[in-house]
Amino acid sequence: MRDSHLNGGLKPDLRNATLQRATIPDFSDLWRQIGAASFVGNDGRTYPFQKPAPCPGSGLQTNQNSKELSVNGIRLPLTPIRIEGVPETTIPAGETQFWRLANTASDTVLDLEIFQGGNVVPMQVVSRDGVPLVQKNGHPTWQAVPMSHVIIAPAGRVEFYLTGTAPGSRFIIRTMKFDAGCLGDAEYTRDLIVVHVKPAKRLTPVRVPPSMDPVPARFSDLGFARPVAQRTFAFTEYPRKDSLEPDFYITQMSDPNAVETPFTMDEPPAVVVKNGTVEDWTILNYTQEIHAFHIHQIHFLVLDSAGIAYGQGQLLDTI
């Protein structure tokens, strides 16, 4: 799934053009907030940062998505929950298939659900971001884990089993309305794929995988490792006077000499870690929109989250 800007754009940057820098914490605010734990998350734990500033009222409402979405190159209708024009495919009745859905959008978050006959069908998830789901003992299980919905950030992937039911029925894979924050894109419910169940010509017996892989997944024991360093990073963004797009900052707050500067890809590494060591990282999002945190070619163990439940205890490369 990919996204692209609409002509004339409905990106909330435009809808909230009156947003003042004063509503977003500056660098000195971050230092003070880090030093005084004052935010209690949904899990009841206290975290070293404060609640985000409330979104300012823009006086402009919309019920249209900010971005145009496409699946395998086929553009989706802009109107929410519209079957006409949605990509279609088939699955034989009784057949189980392995599906992978990759969110290759720039900043659209997917909240995936599967519907059949108006009812939610649990998604039989077997892996996330290309790595099998692991149990607490670090052993991967190839048995599908039913999930009512799965949130997939940009660069994230989900792999699941889909089994054809009665011929003539259909599945609808849908992304639900998602609150991306007052500076985030407007993301409303939209159908992504329609799957028609067709009669099966001949069923091929499927060998059920073992309930548990006897070999632990690589790096799945990170939760038992002693980190050699603990780092805290803060992600911030500030509006520009000469552009509709803001400046982006990611700063290592655990470094007392850190300086908040706009991020550019041509800078030298801001952090250097030693091969074979384990570190404990905390990522703080101080912006007024959802952002994805992604590390190329490296999976990490998600320990905890103060916001959206997203793969705790699993090896991911995107949260």
Side-chain angles (χ1 to χ4, degrees):
M1 195 284 298
R2 307 196 71 171
D3 63 5
S4 59
H5 284 285
L6 292 168
N7 293 330
L10 286 170
K11 187 173 175 59
D13 291 356
L14 303 177
R15 303 203 310 268
N16 294 281
T18 59
L19 178 67
Q20 300 298 314
R21 181 182 176 122
T23 65
I24 305 177
D26 60 23
F27 202 51
S28 59
D29 293 331
L30 298 186
W31 285 113
R32 287 193 294 269
Q33 293 185 22
I34 295 271
S38 58
F39 176 70
V40 179
N42 295 331
D43 54 9
R45 295 178 57 187
T46 301
Y47 291 84
F49 53 94
Q50 296 178 357
K51 288 185 177 181
C55 295
S58 63
L60 178 62
Q61 301 295 326
T62 179
N63 60 356
Q64 185 177 350
N65 289 279
S66 297
K67 295 290 184 65
E68 182 177 64
L69 303 185
S70 62
V71 176
N72 290 349
I74 301 177
R75 294 181 179 181
L76 301 179
L78 295 178
T79 305
I81 318 180
R82 178 183 172 185
I83 296 297
E84 295 80 7
V86 174
E88 298 179 84
T89 188
T90 60
I91 183 173
E95 181 173 288
T96 298
Q97 297 180 354
F98 179 82
W99 282 49
R100 170 176 289 127
L101 198 153
N103 183 355
T104 59
S106 58
D107 52 10
T108 297
V109 178
L110 301 178
D111 188 357
L112 296 177
E113 290 187 354
I114 299 179
F115 287 83
Q116 187 174 50
N119 299 317
V120 176
V121 177
M123 186 179 295
Q124 304 297 321
V125 179
V126 292
S127 56
R128 298 281 301 272
D129 294 352
V131 172
L133 300 184
V134 295
Q135 299 181 345
K136 290 183 179 181
N137 57 12
H139 289 258
T141 173
W142 292 99
Q143 298 298 302
V145 176
M147 299 183 182
S148 59
H149 73 117
V150 179
I151 297 175
I152 306 296
R157 291 90 69 206
V158 62
E159 294 82 23
F160 58 95
Y161 293 146
L162 185 66
T163 301
T165 52
S169 60
R170 70 181 182 185
F171 297 101
I172 296 177
I173 301 178
R174 179 176 294 170
T175 179
M176 307 304 293
K177 181 178 179 179
F178 188 82
D179 183 3
C182 54
L183 281 185
D185 290 303
E187 299 179 13
Y188 293 92
T189 301
R190 200 180 308 194
D191 291 337
L192 300 178
I193 306 171
V194 178
V195 185
H196 298 279
V197 182
K198 65 179 183 179
K201 293 183 179 179
R202 185 181 65 177
L203 289 180
T204 302
V206 178
R207 183 179 180 182
V208 179
S211 60
M212 185 184 300
D213 194 323
V215 180
R218 191 182 185 194
F219 304 130
S220 61
D221 59 348
L222 289 179
F224 304 103
R226 176 175 295 181
V228 300
Q230 293 182 333
R231 304 180 195 264
T232 300
F233 298 87
F235 190 77
T236 56
E237 61 181 12
Y238 301 117
R240 294 170 57 98
K241 294 182 179 180
D242 58 347
S243 173
L244 294 176
E245 295 296 329
D247 274 334
F248 296 97
Y249 302 75
I250 184 166
T251 310
Q252 185 182 175
M253 303 299 295
S254 50
D255 179 2
N257 299 317
V259 177
E260 188 181 38
T261 57
F263 173 77
T264 58
M265 293 292 290
D266 56 357
E267 292 181 354
V271 176
V272 178
V273 300
K274 293 184 178 180
N275 183 35
T277 60
V278 176
E279 296 194 358
D280 188 346
W281 286 21
T282 300
I283 311 298
L284 308 179
N285 182 5
Y286 278 97
T287 73
Q288 291 182 315
E289 62 179 311
I290 290 289
H291 282 283
F293 178 80
H294 173 69
I295 300 181
H296 290 265
Q297 299 180 343
I298 293 179
H299 285 70
F300 45 83
L301 182 66
V302 181
L303 298 178
D304 209 345
S305 172
I308 298 173
Y310 200 115
Q312 282 83 347
Q314 300 299 320
L315 291 167
L316 305 178
D317 62 21
T318 304
I319 55 174

